[in-house]
């Protein structure tokens, strides 16, 4: 028996069921309005409702002020005329707003707060033009070029002044690497003056460190000083077979005319009495017109050597040094020296 699925009624034939479905109000098609939950019997009725109902009128919303309008024209008119929607031209430097780009440009040009600033990085001053900054840089003493001496932390206004300082200052004088200079400069705390005789430099060194005779440190320094004297003599007066070195020695000892051979030089100096420390000092000072003092006898040389403390130790045999020049000049000043 045919049955209606919607209302669970049964009919004696299919025709009766179809007639029921067509004619029963419960089975009439429904056209629903989703916006307001109302139903209509036809599509035409639903369309008429949608067009005429104020609830379904299109809405044109202003996102800036949350107002709604019935047409696009009304929304556009609102956007153009409302002060809240007028374009704003903001000055980022002073947080002011202007109604047009022209007004913002005029503000930027005329406002002192926006005038270009030309800053001097050295003294933190600002100037209104590049020319003013350049003039300041040229004329200000604070910006004068400085020529610095790295060794003594002094500054000079010109390169010439710095060069002159470097040449003339004793602090920048580079000592030649001679044995005596090396010896004295090995004491970093001691101020060494190469222009004074070696014996005076050693006495100053002894006083500076407070050495006493017999101290281990004093003995070691004295031995090193004596070795430096030997090497210094060899530096200035060379080897025994060097005629030029022999002639340097002969000039210091006022031997004229200069002998022609090394052997003749050896014979000429053999009987002379001279203090070897004086010879070294004469050579270190450039071997000028001041000549080395000669003594008439060994006793006179001994008295001078002891009084001035210009001691050159006579121990060539112990050291194995066979320098013939030294052998002919050395004298025994102290017993066992």
């Amino acid at each position: 028996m045919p049955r209606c699925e919607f209302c669970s009624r049964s009919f004696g034939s299919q025709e009766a069921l179809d007639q029921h479905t067509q004619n029963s109000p419960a089975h009439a098609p429904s056209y629903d309005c989703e916006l307001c939950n109302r139903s209509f019997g036809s599509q035409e009725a639903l369309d008429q409702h949608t067009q005429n109902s104020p609830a379904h009128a299109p809405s044109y919303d202003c996102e800036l002020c949350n107002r709604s309008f019935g047409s696009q024209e009304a929304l556009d008119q609102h956007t153009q005329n409302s002060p809240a929607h007028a374009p704003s031209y903001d000055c980022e430097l002073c947080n002011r707003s202007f109604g047009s780009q022209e007004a913002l440009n005029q503000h930027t040009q005329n406002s002192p707060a926006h005038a270009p600033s030309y800053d001097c990085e050295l003294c933190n001053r600002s100037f209104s033009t590049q020319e003013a900054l350049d003039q300041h840089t040229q004329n200000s003493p604070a910006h004068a070029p400085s020529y610095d001496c790295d060794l003594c932390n002094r500054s000079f206004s010109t390169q010439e002044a710095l060069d002159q300082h470097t040449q003339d200052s004793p602090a920048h004088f580079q000592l030649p690497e001679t044995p005596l200079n090396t010896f004295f400069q090995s004491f970093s705390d001691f101020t060494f003056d190469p222009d004074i005789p070696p014996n005076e430099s050693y006495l100053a060194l002894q006083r500076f460190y407070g050495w006493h005779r017999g101290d281990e440190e004093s003995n070691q320094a004295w031995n090193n000083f004596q070795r430096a004297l030997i090497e210094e003599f060899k530096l200035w007066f060379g080897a025994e077979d060097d005629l030029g070195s022999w002639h340097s020695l002969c000039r210091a000892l006022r031997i004229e005319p200069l002998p022609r051979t090394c052997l003749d030089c050896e014979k000429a100096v053999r009987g002379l009495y001279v203090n070897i420390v004086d010879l070294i000092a004469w050579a270190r000072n450039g071997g000028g017109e001041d000549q080395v003092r000669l003594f008439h006898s060994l006793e006179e040389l001994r008295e001078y050597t002891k009084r001035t403390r210009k001691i050159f130790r006579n121990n060539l045999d112990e050291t194995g040094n066979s320098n013939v020049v030294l052998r002919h000049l050395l004298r025994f000043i102290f017993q066992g020296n």
Side-chain angles (χ1 to χ4, degrees):
M1 180 177 291
R3 189 171 182 162
C4 177
E5 295 178 357
F6 292 100
C7 59
S8 300
R9 289 182 62 188
S10 298
F11 296 88
S13 65
Q14 184 63 43
E15 290 77 7
L17 174 60
D18 293 340
Q19 189 67 35
H20 162 76
T21 302
Q22 293 173 12
N23 298 338
S24 173
H27 300 296
S30 175
Y31 299 88
D32 301 324
C33 176
E34 296 179 356
L35 293 176
C36 58
N37 293 323
R38 291 183 61 187
S39 297
F40 297 88
S42 65
Q43 183 64 45
E44 291 76 10
L46 174 60
D47 293 341
Q48 190 67 31
H49 162 76
T50 303
Q51 293 173 14
N52 297 338
S53 173
H56 300 296
S59 175
Y60 299 88
D61 301 324
C62 176
E63 296 179 355
L64 294 176
C65 59
N66 293 323
R67 291 184 61 187
S68 298
F69 298 88
S71 66
Q72 183 64 47
E73 291 75 11
L75 175 61
D76 293 342
Q77 190 67 30
H78 162 76
T79 304
Q80 293 173 15
N81 297 339
S82 172
H85 300 297
S88 176
Y89 299 87
D90 301 324
C91 176
E92 297 179 356
L93 294 176
C94 59
N95 294 323
R96 291 184 60 187
S97 298
F98 298 87
S100 66
Q101 184 64 47
E102 291 75 12
L104 174 60
N105 294 341
Q106 190 68 28
H107 161 75
T108 304
Q109 294 172 14
N110 297 340
S111 173
H114 300 297
S117 176
Y118 300 86
D119 301 324
C120 176
E121 296 180 356
L122 294 176
C123 60
N124 294 323
R125 291 185 59 188
S126 298
F127 299 87
S128 58
T129 65
Q130 183 64 47
E131 291 75 13
L133 174 60
D134 294 341
Q135 190 69 27
H136 162 75
T137 304
Q138 294 172 14
N139 297 340
S140 173
H143 301 297
S146 176
Y147 300 86
D148 302 324
C149 176
D150 294 333
L151 293 176
C152 59
N153 294 324
R154 291 185 59 189
S155 298
F156 299 87
S157 58
T158 65
Q159 184 64 46
E160 292 75 13
L162 174 60
D163 293 341
Q164 190 68 32
H165 161 75
T166 304
Q167 294 172 16
D168 297 343
S169 173
H172 301 294
F173 177 69
Q174 299 296 320
L175 292 177
E177 293 185 1
T178 73
L180 279 175
N181 290 347
T182 301
F183 166 75
F184 285 112
Q185 287 181 306
S186 67
F187 300 92
S188 58
D189 296 331
F190 175 68
T191 302
F192 170 55
D193 183 356
D195 293 330
I196 66 176
N199 63 301
E200 294 183 21
S201 291
Y202 185 80
L203 290 175
L205 179 68
Q206 191 177 41
R207 288 192 298 269
F208 181 81
Y209 285 103
W211 293 332
H212 298 285
R213 188 172 182 177
D215 292 346
E216 180 179 355
E217 189 174 6
S218 177
N219 290 340
Q220 182 178 358
W222 175 254
N223 291 333
N224 291 338
F225 174 59
Q226 289 298 317
R227 280 192 287 270
L229 284 173
I230 294 174
E231 295 303 318
E232 191 85 10
F233 183 90
K234 291 165 62 177
L235 171 69
W236 294 109
F237 297 105
E240 58 209 48
D241 57 353
D242 183 0
L243 184 60
S245 298
W246 275 108
H247 281 175
S248 296
L249 179 61
C250 290
R251 291 189 186 94
L253 300 178
R254 302 190 292 280
I255 297 175
E256 295 179 351
L258 293 176
R260 294 187 177 183
T261 67
C262 292
L263 182 59
D264 291 337
C265 291
E266 179 183 338
K267 293 177 181 179
V269 303
R270 183 177 297 168
L272 298 179
Y273 298 99
V274 62
N275 184 278
I276 295 179
V277 177
D278 281 346
L279 268 178
I280 294 173
W282 176 83
R284 285 172 59 84
N285 289 330
E289 296 181 358
D290 293 337
Q291 294 174 325
V292 180
R293 178 178 176 179
L294 296 177
F295 299 91
H296 296 94
S297 66
L298 177 58
E299 288 302 322
E300 188 179 0
L301 174 60
R302 280 176 177 164
E303 187 279 329
Y304 172 82
T305 301
K306 293 177 181 180
R307 175 169 49 83
T308 60
R309 304 295 298 171
K310 295 181 179 180
I311 300 171
F312 188 99
R313 193 161 55 189
N314 187 347
N315 63 345
L316 294 186
D317 291 334
E318 298 175 10
T319 61
N321 194 313
S322 60
N323 188 286
V324 174
V325 181
L326 277 175
R327 285 186 177 277
H328 286 292
L329 291 176
L330 279 173
R331 302 290 184 263
F332 286 100
I333 304 300
F334 301 94
Q335 184 176 1
N337 72 339

